[in-house]
Amino acid sequence: MSFRPVIAVTLAATLAGCGLNSVPTAEEAAKARWADVQNEYQRRADLIPNLVNTVKGFAAQEERVLTEVTNARARATSVQVDAEDLSDPAKVEQFEQAQNALSGSLGRLLVAVEAYPQLTSNQNFLALQNELATTENQIGIARRDYNAAVQAYNTRIRTFPDAIGARIFYGAEPMTPFKATTPGAETAPTVNFENK
């Protein structure tokens, strides 16, 4: 009786349980979710010139705020992180800081335009503002989905038996999840409707 078929079947079963398929599957899922994050940030960057031009027509004296938004958009779109950089926390943090700076600039722009009743009732402005709000929500969803995929991947490459294949065959490194970088982001804001 030959032991070769038994050894081949045992070896195949052992290798199948070592993450040969599941590790790259989890890695590709995380990279796909990263692409979703980038897509939503690109959507926001594409909307900003339209918003800025609409505001310019009504609020020429707010040039400083408009310039700040335009510059923040340029910085945010210049910082690129591709799927291969996801295991480098410094690159992911630099990307997130640029995106957070853009979010802050947009917030200041929306506060500044409240002084212009004609602008805030303009249909084009309202549509753009709604698109930006929708995009911000989609960014949050994409980041949450990315973090879930990173968690699944990082867990897979660190737990038995997939950790064996992850280290031996792929040299897998943990990916970096997004985290709140805005000071105080972990604390809910206080809403107060009382007159002072």
Side-chain angles (χ1 to χ4, degrees):
M1 179 172 177
S2 175
F3 288 106
R4 285 187 182 171
V6 173
I7 292 172
V9 169
T10 303
L11 183 59
T14 302
L15 289 175
C18 289
L20 285 181
N21 291 324
S22 60
V23 169
T25 300
E27 181 180 27
E28 290 305 315
K31 287 178 179 179
R33 298 300 70 80
W34 176 250
D36 292 343
V37 170
Q38 289 180 311
N39 179 55
E40 294 305 330
Y41 279 132
Q42 184 62 52
R43 182 173 187 258
R44 178 176 68 176
D46 292 344
L47 286 170
I48 289 171
N50 294 329
L51 180 69
V52 167
N53 287 333
T54 301
V55 173
K56 273 184 183 177
F58 284 91
Q61 59 267 44
E62 299 297 343
E63 190 66 34
R64 182 186 58 77
V65 175
L66 296 171
T67 301
E68 181 183 323
V69 170
T70 303
N71 291 340
R73 177 189 179 269
R75 283 189 303 274
T77 57
S78 71
V79 177
Q80 298 295 318
V81 175
D82 63 24
E84 302 307 316
D85 296 327
L86 294 177
S87 60
D88 184 346
K91 287 184 180 180
V92 173
E93 184 176 339
Q94 180 186 20
F95 179 83
E96 184 155 358
Q97 286 175 350
Q99 295 300 330
N100 286 340
L102 179 55
S103 293
S105 295
L106 282 172
R108 286 186 289 284
L109 173 64
L110 295 176
V111 166
V113 300
E114 288 177 4
Y116 301 94
Q118 304 94 338
L119 175 61
T120 55
S121 65
N122 176 280
Q123 293 303 313
N124 289 338
F125 177 76
L126 292 174
L128 287 167
Q129 190 176 20
N130 185 47
E131 282 294 317
L132 277 173
T134 300
T135 299
E136 291 298 324
N137 288 336
Q138 290 173 331
I139 287 170
I141 291 167
R143 287 172 58 165
R144 181 198 64 208
D145 292 347
Y146 168 73
N147 280 347
V150 166
Q151 179 186 9
Y153 171 76
N154 287 348
T155 300
R156 184 167 297 281
I157 68 169
R158 290 182 175 144
T159 54
F160 183 80
D162 291 347
I164 297 168
R167 286 195 177 80
I168 293 173
F169 297 108
Y170 300 112
E173 294 288 329
M175 291 184 178
T176 305
F178 269 106
K179 59 187 179 300
T181 57
T182 305
E186 68 282 354
T187 306
T190 302
V191 178
N192 185 353
F193 292 108
E194 294 178 15
N195 290 330
K196 295 199 177 200

